[in-house]
């Protein structure tokens, strides 16, 4: 009888891939974790308890078959592990890198609840798909038969690309429209290379291009082409624009030079990584080199900003957040990485205004946590007489993102939106009240995770395919 390859969590300790030292990694934008070797990946996968109710799977937005591909990895059957992984996830190597596993699959791992340390699900997921690319297991997208239907996808982020993948595999003709000069959305221009290398994203874009997906880039809907024209050219349209409008920050001096939105700052840095010329980086506007940097916010975007500033050569980097560490929305793993690299976190601190123009400091009021708010989180309350000033040459606003006013931008008042400005769409299908118009990702959910955008894009694509089939059957019956 073959030896049981699983259930080794009692004897084998959790072991993440080797992480480069903070001193080494803080000077470049390369990924900070090394890759597993075959034996180490198998060892860590073997820790899975194969529990009867896999909470890791149920807490994954894509419901990935995690226990199954962990078992295949533990048995050395890596190609089968990859096939199981990609069956439910369009971009498993991307999710393995940037998903907050500590809040999703790994955070709900049964063996962690028993004190043995979670299975390193994200690292194994990344490993098996990277291995698949290296060994030529990732097959080209070749539809079994071409279909006559055409879909226009507005937005080349994770939701739009995931939908394009599903539709093209089914033989649908797909055109993706995006305002940027490269596809990928925030995966390309928002997330730094030390978390997600850009060749990983471009590799998937190129795969879609080879499959026949058409990309219309540098295209602002409402300016370069109308929303109505896109609807007229396609049988269905998917709105997957994401949310790009930065939440603003008020207070005296908020309009001073040197106070910049997070996305502008991160986009400039990522463009430099591509080798582009960026005037605002070269003239210092969006460059932290030699500056005292203050980032305001506590989410993953704020973590991206502080760690980017360290790599650009800032003299000091501080992150202000109005709640404490336990109540911040960003990944605790990212906070730990940032602290190792030299970032200072100033908890329970709220900006009240700014000094100087160009900015020279942030006026800060210390806070304490009071009663819980409507979401159950403790509401921050100001401590009177606690004001002070943090020195700053560059202030980065990382307070989250809001949807743009699409009905106004696109001249389409009939596009249904919620009171928050997100597009109103059906749960699971993404269908809107406009005929043959669907929506997916952050433009429906509000600012969320890449993995949720992938889920929404796949769901919307499958809903379109179902609608096409029903329409075809109806025509045939007539």
């Amino acid at each position: 009888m073959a030896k049981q390859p699983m259930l080794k969590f009692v004897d084998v300790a959790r072991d993440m891939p080797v992480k480069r030292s903070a001193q080494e990694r803080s000077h470049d934008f390369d990924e900070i974790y090394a890759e597993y070797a075959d034996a180490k990946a198998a060892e860590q996968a073997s820790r899975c308890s194969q529990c009867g109710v896999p909470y890791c799977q149920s807490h994954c937005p894509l419901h990935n078959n995690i226990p199954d591909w962990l078992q295949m990895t533990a048995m050395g059957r890596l190609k089968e592990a990859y096939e199981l992984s990609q069956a439910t996830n369009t971009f498993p190597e991307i999710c393995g890198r940037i998903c907050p596993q500590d809040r999703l699959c790994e955070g709900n791992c049964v063996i962690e609840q028993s004190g043995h340390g979670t299975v390193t699900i994200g690292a194994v997921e990344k490993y098996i798909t990277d291995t698949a690319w290296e060994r030529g297991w990732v097959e080209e997208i070749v539809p079994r038969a071409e279909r006559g239907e055409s879909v226009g996808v507005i937005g080349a982020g994770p939701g739009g690309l995931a939908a394009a993948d599903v539709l093209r595999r089914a033989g649908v003709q797909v055109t993706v429209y995006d305002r940027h000069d490269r596809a990928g959305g925030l995966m390309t221009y928002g997330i730094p290379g030390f978390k997600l290398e850009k060749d990983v994203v471009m590799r998937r874009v190129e795969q879609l291009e080879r499959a026949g997906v058409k990309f219309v880039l540098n295209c602002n809907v409402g300016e370069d082409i109308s929303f109505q024209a896109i609807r007229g050219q396609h049988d269905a349209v998917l709105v997957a624009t994401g949310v790009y409008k930065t939440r603003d920050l008020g207070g005296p001096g908020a309009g001073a030079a040197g106070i910049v939105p997070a996305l502008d700052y991160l986009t400039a840095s990522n463009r430099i990584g591509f080798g582009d010329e960026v005037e605002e980086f070269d003239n210092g506007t969006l460059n932290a080199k030699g500056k005292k940097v203050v980032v305001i916010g506590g989410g993953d975007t704020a973590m991206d900003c502080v760690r980017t500033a360290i790599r650009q050569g800032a003299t000091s980097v501080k992150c202000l957040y109005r709640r404490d560490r336990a109540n911040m929305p960003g990944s605790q793993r990212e906070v730990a990485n940032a602290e190792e690299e030299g970032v200072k976190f100033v908890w329970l601190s709220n900006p009240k205004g700014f000094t100087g123009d160009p900015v020279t400091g942030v006026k800060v009021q210390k806070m304490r946590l009071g009663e819980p708010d409507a979401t159950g989180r403790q509401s921050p309350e100001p401590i009177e007489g606690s004001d002070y000033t943090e020195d700053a040459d560059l202030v980065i606003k990382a307070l989250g993102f809001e949807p743009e006013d699409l009905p106004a931008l696109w001249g389409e008042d009939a596009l249904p939106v919620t009171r928050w400005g997100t597009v109103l769409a059906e749960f699971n299908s993404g269908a809107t009240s406009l005929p043959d118009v669907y929506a997916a990702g952050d433009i429906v959910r509000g600012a969320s995770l890449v993995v949720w955008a992938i889920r929404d894009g796949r769901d919307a694509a499958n809903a379109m395919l179902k609608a096409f089939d029903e329409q075809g059957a109806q025509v045939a019956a007539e």
Side-chain angles (χ1 to χ4, degrees):
M1 181 179 292
K3 187 177 180 182
Q4 167 61 261
M6 309 303 289
L7 305 168
K8 295 183 179 178
F9 59 90
V10 175
D11 302 314
V12 178
R14 169 185 165 90
D15 191 7
M16 281 288 288
V18 175
K19 184 164 59 174
R20 293 194 293 142
S21 71
Q23 183 177 7
E24 177 190 357
R25 69 182 192 252
S26 61
H27 296 290
D28 61 51
F29 283 83
D30 296 337
E31 185 167 345
I32 73 172
Y33 291 101
E35 192 72 270
Y36 275 142
D38 282 7
K40 178 59 72 171
E43 173 200 82
Q44 288 299 300
S46 74
R47 299 182 66 248
C48 175
S49 67
Q50 299 286 292
C51 50
V53 180
Y55 290 105
C56 58
Q57 183 172 352
S58 61
H59 283 83
C60 170
L62 290 163
H63 299 304
N64 288 328
N65 302 316
I66 296 169
D68 291 343
W69 53 251
L70 284 174
Q71 185 174 35
M72 292 299 101
T73 303
M75 297 172 69
R77 295 159 62 176
L78 292 179
K79 186 174 182 181
E80 291 167 89
Y82 159 70
E83 289 169 349
L84 283 168
S85 176
Q86 65 88 40
T88 54
N89 189 351
T90 314
F91 311 123
E93 73 277 30
I94 292 175
C95 290
R97 285 168 164 83
I98 63 174
C99 265
Q101 289 96 4
D102 54 342
R103 302 206 307 264
L104 298 173
C105 53
E106 293 182 14
N108 291 279
C109 177
V110 168
I111 65 171
E112 183 180 43
Q113 309 305 318
S114 64
H116 289 284
T118 179
V119 177
T120 54
I121 296 169
V124 174
E125 180 180 40
K126 167 182 175 291
Y127 167 75
I128 59 179
T129 312
D130 284 354
T131 301
W133 279 103
E134 291 169 7
R135 300 184 185 178
W137 299 337
V138 180
E139 297 178 356
E140 293 295 315
I141 300 170
V142 181
R144 290 186 177 179
E146 293 291 345
R147 299 180 60 135
E149 297 95 348
S150 171
V151 171
V153 177
I154 304 175
L161 295 181
D165 181 280
V166 171
L167 291 166
R168 191 66 198 110
R169 288 178 189 275
V172 173
Q173 313 309 308
V174 182
T175 302
V176 181
Y177 303 85
D178 195 85
R179 67 179 63 176
H180 294 295
D181 59 343
R182 294 181 179 91
L186 290 179
M187 297 188 298
T188 297
Y189 285 132
I191 300 172
F194 53 79
K195 284 173 61 178
L196 177 59
E197 308 97 314
K198 301 310 157 189
D199 61 334
V200 172
V201 181
M202 294 301 108
R203 184 170 61 188
R204 285 294 186 181
V205 174
E206 291 162 5
Q207 181 191 36
L208 290 170
E209 287 179 321
R210 290 192 300 272
V213 175
K214 298 177 182 177
F215 287 89
V216 181
L217 303 175
N218 291 311
C219 179
N220 275 297
V221 177
E223 295 178 12
D224 303 309
I225 187 173
S226 69
F227 178 64
Q228 294 77 11
I230 292 176
R231 288 189 71 190
Q233 292 173 19
H234 302 284
D235 298 293
V237 173
L238 176 66
V239 179
T241 57
V243 291
Y244 279 83
K245 182 181 175 184
T246 302
R247 288 179 183 154
D248 215 346
L249 192 63
I259 304 174
V260 302
L263 192 52
D264 290 359
Y265 175 69
L266 292 171
T267 298
S269 178
N270 280 311
R271 284 193 176 280
I272 292 296
F274 276 110
D276 297 350
E277 290 187 11
V278 182
E279 182 180 351
E280 288 183 303
F281 181 88
D282 293 338
N283 66 26
T285 303
L286 297 175
N287 187 349
K289 185 176 181 179
K291 296 179 180 178
K292 297 176 182 176
V293 177
V294 172
V295 176
I296 300 171
D300 287 334
T301 299
M303 300 306 100
D304 293 343
C305 290
V306 294
R307 298 182 65 199
T308 294
I310 287 287
R311 285 158 173 78
Q312 289 179 348
T315 57
S316 69
V317 181
K318 293 184 178 181
C319 182
L320 304 185
Y321 182 57
R322 61 187 185 140
R323 290 185 169 92
D324 62 6
R325 185 183 192 125
N327 285 279
M328 72 174 299
S331 165
Q332 291 295 329
R333 183 167 60 192
E334 286 298 296
V335 175
N337 286 333
E339 287 178 325
E340 290 171 4
E341 292 164 7
V343 176
K344 303 297 182 185
F345 286 85
V346 187
W347 308 111
L348 295 166
S349 300
N350 194 49
K352 291 184 63 179
F354 305 89
T355 60
D357 189 5
V359 69
T360 58
V362 182
K363 296 178 180 177
V364 179
Q365 183 168 45
K366 296 300 292 180
M367 312 292 284
R368 61 170 168 256
L369 294 180
E371 295 299 316
D373 61 17
T375 66
R377 298 173 73 198
Q378 287 180 279
S379 300
E381 301 173 346
I383 300 174
E384 297 300 326
S386 63
D387 299 12
Y388 73 101
T389 300
E390 284 280 5
D391 293 339
D393 306 311
L394 176 63
V395 177
I396 303 172
K397 300 179 290 185
L399 301 165
F401 302 101
E402 296 175 341
E404 297 161 292
D405 186 353
L406 294 187
L409 286 173
W410 294 355
E412 183 54 84
D413 293 338
L415 183 68
V417 294
T418 68
R419 62 191 178 96
W420 298 281
T422 52
V423 173
L424 183 62
E426 287 182 0
F427 182 68
N428 284 339
S429 75
T432 73
S433 58
L434 279 180
D436 303 314
V437 174
Y438 298 74
D442 287 3
I443 194 58
V444 176
R445 293 180 177 273
S448 187
L449 302 174
V450 165
V451 66
W452 275 115
I454 295 171
R455 160 72 184 271
D456 292 347
R458 290 171 65 96
D459 283 351
N462 285 315
M464 289 182 195
L465 292 171
K466 181 180 179 182
F468 291 154
D469 289 342
E470 290 173 350
Q471 291 164 9
Q474 185 176 358
V475 170
E478 293 173 354

